[in-house]
Tab-separated table of all heavy atoms in Angstrom:
chain	number	residue	atom	x	y	z
Z	1	ILE	N	0.861	-1.180	0.000
Z	1	ILE	CA	0.000	0.000	0.000
Z	1	ILE	C	0.896	1.228	0.000
Z	1	ILE	O	1.825	1.325	0.806
Z	1	ILE	CB	-0.914	0.021	1.241
Z	1	ILE	CG1	-1.767	-1.252	1.319
Z	1	ILE	CG2	-1.796	1.259	1.252
Z	1	ILE	CD1	-2.542	-1.386	2.623
Z	2	THR	N	0.622	2.163	-0.896
Z	2	THR	CA	1.438	3.369	-0.957
Z	2	THR	C	0.579	4.612	-0.765
Z	2	THR	O	-0.520	4.730	-1.298
Z	2	THR	CB	2.189	3.460	-2.299
Z	2	THR	OG1	1.308	3.130	-3.371
Z	2	THR	CG2	3.372	2.504	-2.304
Z	3	ASP	N	1.108	5.523	-0.005
Z	3	ASP	CA	0.423	6.765	0.341
Z	3	ASP	C	0.412	7.714	-0.851
Z	3	ASP	O	1.430	7.883	-1.530
Z	3	ASP	CB	1.160	7.409	1.523
Z	3	ASP	CG	0.435	8.601	2.093
Z	3	ASP	OD1	-0.764	8.486	2.377
Z	3	ASP	OD2	1.083	9.657	2.261
Z	4	VAL	N	-0.749	8.305	-1.125
Z	4	VAL	CA	-0.858	9.317	-2.175
Z	4	VAL	C	-1.246	10.628	-1.497
Z	4	VAL	O	-2.405	10.883	-1.197
Z	4	VAL	CB	-1.898	8.913	-3.243
Z	4	VAL	CG1	-2.014	10.021	-4.293
Z	4	VAL	CG2	-1.505	7.608	-3.904
Z	5	ALA	N	-0.250	11.426	-1.205
Z	5	ALA	CA	-0.423	12.747	-0.580
Z	5	ALA	C	0.878	13.498	-0.759
Z	5	ALA	O	1.947	12.887	-0.894
Z	5	ALA	CB	-0.789	12.626	0.891
Z	6	LEU	N	0.812	14.795	-0.728
Z	6	LEU	CA	1.981	15.596	-1.067
Z	6	LEU	C	2.812	16.029	0.133
Z	6	LEU	O	3.921	16.539	-0.045
Z	6	LEU	CB	1.539	16.841	-1.856
Z	6	LEU	CG	0.743	16.589	-3.135
Z	6	LEU	CD1	0.569	17.896	-3.900
Z	6	LEU	CD2	1.391	15.531	-4.012
Z	7	ASP	N	2.312	15.825	1.350
Z	7	ASP	CA	3.010	16.400	2.503
Z	7	ASP	C	4.455	15.933	2.682
Z	7	ASP	O	5.284	16.713	3.143
Z	7	ASP	CB	2.201	16.224	3.798
Z	7	ASP	CG	1.759	14.803	4.059
Z	7	ASP	OD1	1.405	14.097	3.104
Z	7	ASP	OD2	1.752	14.381	5.232
Z	8	PRO	N	4.838	14.679	2.339
Z	8	PRO	CA	6.257	14.346	2.474
Z	8	PRO	C	7.143	15.072	1.460
Z	8	PRO	O	8.366	15.125	1.626
Z	8	PRO	CB	6.289	12.831	2.218
Z	8	PRO	CG	4.898	12.357	2.383
Z	8	PRO	CD	4.053	13.504	1.929
Z	9	PHE	N	6.519	15.620	0.404
Z	9	PHE	CA	7.271	16.173	-0.714
Z	9	PHE	C	7.222	17.693	-0.798
Z	9	PHE	O	7.950	18.284	-1.592
Z	9	PHE	CB	6.733	15.593	-2.027
Z	9	PHE	CG	6.782	14.093	-2.086
Z	9	PHE	CD1	5.694	13.333	-1.688
Z	9	PHE	CD2	7.925	13.441	-2.530
Z	9	PHE	CE1	5.733	11.945	-1.742
Z	9	PHE	CE2	7.978	12.058	-2.586
Z	9	PHE	CZ	6.885	11.308	-2.184
Z	10	THR	N	6.343	18.326	-0.020
Z	10	THR	CA	6.219	19.785	-0.090
Z	10	THR	C	7.135	20.446	0.934
Z	10	THR	O	7.325	19.942	2.049
Z	10	THR	CB	4.770	20.237	0.167
Z	10	THR	OG1	4.304	19.712	1.416
Z	10	THR	CG2	3.860	19.767	-0.947
Z	11	SER	N	7.661	21.590	0.546
Z	11	SER	CA	8.549	22.326	1.448
Z	11	SER	C	7.795	22.939	2.615
Z	11	SER	O	8.385	23.257	3.652
Z	11	SER	CB	9.282	23.422	0.673
Z	11	SER	OG	8.365	24.204	-0.079
Z	12	HIS	N	6.463	23.086	2.488
Z	12	HIS	CA	5.660	23.685	3.553
Z	12	HIS	C	4.958	22.648	4.426
Z	12	HIS	O	4.398	22.988	5.462
Z	12	HIS	CB	4.613	24.625	2.953
Z	12	HIS	CG	3.910	24.061	1.757
Z	12	HIS	ND1	2.995	23.041	1.839
Z	12	HIS	CD2	4.017	24.391	0.439
Z	12	HIS	CE1	2.557	22.751	0.608
Z	12	HIS	NE2	3.161	23.551	-0.249
Z	13	GLY	N	4.958	21.368	4.037
Z	13	GLY	CA	4.400	20.308	4.861
Z	13	GLY	C	2.918	20.049	4.702
Z	13	GLY	O	2.360	19.175	5.377
Z	14	HIS	N	2.256	20.777	3.801
Z	14	HIS	CA	0.831	20.545	3.586
Z	14	HIS	C	0.624	19.431	2.558
Z	14	HIS	O	1.508	19.108	1.764
Z	14	HIS	CB	0.134	21.825	3.146
Z	14	HIS	CG	-0.264	22.701	4.286
Z	14	HIS	ND1	-1.352	22.439	5.093
Z	14	HIS	CD2	0.315	23.835	4.788
Z	14	HIS	CE1	-1.448	23.373	6.025
Z	14	HIS	NE2	-0.455	24.231	5.868
Z	15	ASP	N	-0.608	18.882	2.566
Z	15	ASP	CA	-0.953	17.775	1.675
Z	15	ASP	C	-1.329	18.235	0.278
Z	15	ASP	O	-1.663	17.405	-0.580
Z	15	ASP	CB	-2.143	16.994	2.251
Z	15	ASP	CG	-1.831	16.338	3.578
Z	15	ASP	OD1	-1.307	17.028	4.472
Z	15	ASP	OD2	-2.124	15.142	3.729
Z	16	GLY	N	-1.315	19.519	0.036
Z	16	GLY	CA	-1.704	20.044	-1.259
Z	16	GLY	C	-0.835	21.203	-1.695
Z	16	GLY	O	-0.016	21.714	-0.916
Z	17	LEU	N	-1.014	21.600	-2.944
Z	17	LEU	CA	-0.346	22.793	-3.451
Z	17	LEU	C	-0.941	24.027	-2.778
Z	17	LEU	O	-2.097	24.016	-2.345
Z	17	LEU	CB	-0.514	22.882	-4.964
Z	17	LEU	CG	-0.011	21.679	-5.771
Z	17	LEU	CD1	-0.226	21.925	-7.258
Z	17	LEU	CD2	1.449	21.373	-5.467
Z	18	VAL	N	-0.159	25.077	-2.712
Z	18	VAL	CA	-0.533	26.255	-1.918
Z	18	VAL	C	-0.424	27.522	-2.753
Z	18	VAL	O	0.506	27.679	-3.552
Z	18	VAL	CB	0.373	26.355	-0.664
Z	18	VAL	CG1	0.157	27.688	0.051
Z	18	VAL	CG2	0.101	25.205	0.286
Z	19	ASP	N	-1.382	28.392	-2.551
Z	19	ASP	CA	-1.329	29.734	-3.134
Z	19	ASP	C	-1.673	30.725	-2.035
Z	19	ASP	O	-2.806	30.760	-1.552
Z	19	ASP	CB	-2.314	29.867	-4.293
Z	19	ASP	CG	-2.304	31.249	-4.931
Z	19	ASP	OD1	-1.287	31.966	-4.773
Z	19	ASP	OD2	-3.306	31.611	-5.564
Z	20	SER	N	-0.679	31.503	-1.618
Z	20	SER	CA	-0.866	32.483	-0.530
Z	20	SER	C	-1.494	31.831	0.702
Z	20	SER	O	-2.456	32.343	1.282
Z	20	SER	CB	-1.736	33.653	-1.011
Z	20	SER	OG	-1.133	34.294	-2.118
Z	21	GLU	N	-0.935	30.693	1.087
Z	21	GLU	CA	-1.372	29.924	2.264
Z	21	GLU	C	-2.784	29.356	2.121
Z	21	GLU	O	-3.389	28.929	3.098
Z	21	GLU	CB	-1.231	30.747	3.558
Z	21	GLU	CG	0.203	31.188	3.816
Z	21	GLU	CD	0.429	31.703	5.232
Z	21	GLU	OE1	-0.518	31.736	6.028
Z	21	GLU	OE2	1.591	32.075	5.531
Z	22	ARG	N	-3.311	29.321	0.915
Z	22	ARG	CA	-4.585	28.660	0.646
Z	22	ARG	C	-4.301	27.350	-0.063
Z	22	ARG	O	-3.580	27.309	-1.051
Z	22	ARG	CB	-5.480	29.561	-0.215
Z	22	ARG	CG	-6.863	28.964	-0.513
Z	22	ARG	CD	-7.726	29.989	-1.228
Z	22	ARG	NE	-7.216	30.321	-2.546
Z	22	ARG	CZ	-7.561	29.667	-3.660
Z	22	ARG	NH1	-8.399	28.639	-3.608
Z	22	ARG	NH2	-7.076	30.046	-4.831
Z	23	ILE	N	-4.874	26.255	0.458
Z	23	ILE	CA	-4.644	24.941	-0.120
Z	23	ILE	C	-5.509	24.783	-1.367
Z	23	ILE	O	-6.735	24.908	-1.309
Z	23	ILE	CB	-4.968	23.824	0.889
Z	23	ILE	CG1	-4.294	24.096	2.243
Z	23	ILE	CG2	-4.547	22.465	0.352
Z	23	ILE	CD1	-2.804	24.272	2.183
Z	24	LEU	N	-4.875	24.508	-2.495
Z	24	LEU	CA	-5.561	24.399	-3.777
Z	24	LEU	C	-6.063	22.974	-3.980
Z	24	LEU	O	-5.289	22.021	-3.922
Z	24	LEU	CB	-4.618	24.777	-4.916
Z	24	LEU	CG	-4.011	26.191	-4.839
Z	24	LEU	CD1	-2.992	26.383	-5.946
Z	24	LEU	CD2	-5.111	27.255	-4.913
Z	25	ASN	N	-7.329	22.843	-4.251
Z	25	ASN	CA	-7.928	21.502	-4.378
Z	25	ASN	C	-7.677	20.880	-5.755
Z	25	ASN	O	-7.002	19.853	-5.878
Z	25	ASN	CB	-9.427	21.582	-4.123
Z	25	ASN	CG	-10.064	20.216	-3.972
Z	25	ASN	OD1	-10.196	19.696	-2.870
Z	25	ASN	ND2	-10.472	19.578	-5.071
Z	26	ASP	N	-8.208	21.480	-6.814
Z	26	ASP	CA	-8.190	20.845	-8.132
Z	26	ASP	C	-6.774	20.707	-8.680
Z	26	ASP	O	-6.441	19.690	-9.302
Z	26	ASP	CB	-9.059	21.630	-9.107
Z	26	ASP	CG	-10.525	21.665	-8.668
Z	26	ASP	OD1	-10.835	21.154	-7.563
Z	26	ASP	OD2	-11.355	22.214	-9.413
Z	27	GLU	N	-5.947	21.709	-8.453
Z	27	GLU	CA	-4.553	21.637	-8.898
Z	27	GLU	C	-3.807	20.515	-8.166
Z	27	GLU	O	-2.967	19.827	-8.762
Z	27	GLU	CB	-3.852	22.976	-8.670
Z	27	GLU	CG	-4.394	24.114	-9.515
Z	27	GLU	CD	-5.612	24.812	-8.902
Z	27	GLU	OE1	-6.202	24.270	-7.940
Z	27	GLU	OE2	-5.968	25.902	-9.396
Z	28	THR	N	-4.127	20.336	-6.894
Z	28	THR	CA	-3.516	19.249	-6.129
Z	28	THR	C	-3.937	17.893	-6.677
Z	28	THR	O	-3.113	16.972	-6.810
Z	28	THR	CB	-3.916	19.356	-4.642
Z	28	THR	OG1	-3.384	20.564	-4.102
Z	28	THR	CG2	-3.389	18.171	-3.845
Z	29	VAL	N	-5.208	17.747	-7.008
Z	29	VAL	CA	-5.708	16.472	-7.529
Z	29	VAL	C	-4.970	16.076	-8.801
Z	29	VAL	O	-4.681	14.885	-9.014
Z	29	VAL	CB	-7.232	16.548	-7.759
Z	29	VAL	CG1	-7.735	15.320	-8.511
Z	29	VAL	CG2	-7.963	16.670	-6.424
Z	30	GLU	N	-4.633	17.033	-9.641
Z	30	GLU	CA	-3.877	16.724	-10.859
Z	30	GLU	C	-2.539	16.083	-10.523
Z	30	GLU	O	-2.106	15.125	-11.180
Z	30	GLU	CB	-3.663	17.999	-11.677
Z	30	GLU	CG	-4.938	18.567	-12.297
Z	30	GLU	CD	-4.674	19.821	-13.099
Z	30	GLU	OE1	-3.482	20.104	-13.397
Z	30	GLU	OE2	-5.640	20.526	-13.444
Z	31	VAL	N	-1.871	16.594	-9.503
Z	31	VAL	CA	-0.581	16.022	-9.092
Z	31	VAL	C	-0.782	14.649	-8.456
Z	31	VAL	O	0.001	13.715	-8.690
Z	31	VAL	CB	0.144	16.975	-8.117
Z	31	VAL	CG1	1.483	16.382	-7.677
Z	31	VAL	CG2	0.364	18.344	-8.754
Z	32	LEU	N	-1.830	14.498	-7.668
Z	32	LEU	CA	-2.099	13.209	-7.042
Z	32	LEU	C	-2.322	12.117	-8.081
Z	32	LEU	O	-1.904	10.967	-7.886
Z	32	LEU	CB	-3.324	13.318	-6.129
Z	32	LEU	CG	-3.208	14.266	-4.939
Z	32	LEU	CD1	-4.543	14.361	-4.208
Z	32	LEU	CD2	-2.115	13.820	-3.982
Z	33	CYS	N	-2.987	12.453	-9.170
Z	33	CYS	CA	-3.202	11.479	-10.249
Z	33	CYS	C	-1.871	11.024	-10.837
Z	33	CYS	O	-1.657	9.819	-11.072
Z	33	CYS	CB	-4.078	12.084	-11.338
Z	33	CYS	SG	-5.809	12.292	-10.871
Z	34	LYS	N	-0.976	11.961	-11.082
Z	34	LYS	CA	0.347	11.603	-11.592
Z	34	LYS	C	1.097	10.720	-10.598
Z	34	LYS	O	1.752	9.738	-10.983
Z	34	LYS	CB	1.168	12.869	-11.870
Z	34	LYS	CG	0.619	13.770	-12.960
Z	34	LYS	CD	1.496	15.016	-13.093
Z	34	LYS	CE	0.938	16.007	-14.088
Z	34	LYS	NZ	1.795	17.225	-14.173
Z	35	MET	N	1.010	11.062	-9.331
Z	35	MET	CA	1.685	10.307	-8.279
Z	35	MET	C	1.153	8.871	-8.207
Z	35	MET	O	1.913	7.903	-8.132
Z	35	MET	CB	1.468	11.036	-6.944
Z	35	MET	CG	2.182	10.444	-5.764
Z	35	MET	SD	1.836	11.446	-4.282
Z	35	MET	CE	2.830	10.588	-3.067
Z	36	ALA	N	-0.172	8.732	-8.248
Z	36	ALA	CA	-0.786	7.409	-8.187
Z	36	ALA	C	-0.376	6.558	-9.375
Z	36	ALA	O	-0.109	5.352	-9.242
Z	36	ALA	CB	-2.305	7.541	-8.118
């Protein structure tokens, strides 16, 4: 089983992409698909 989330890979530690400290949903999902 492999984890699909961005927090181990982001410099800020959040599970998603960030814009001005706002977590971006749809843009993050695009990256998660590539990761999976």
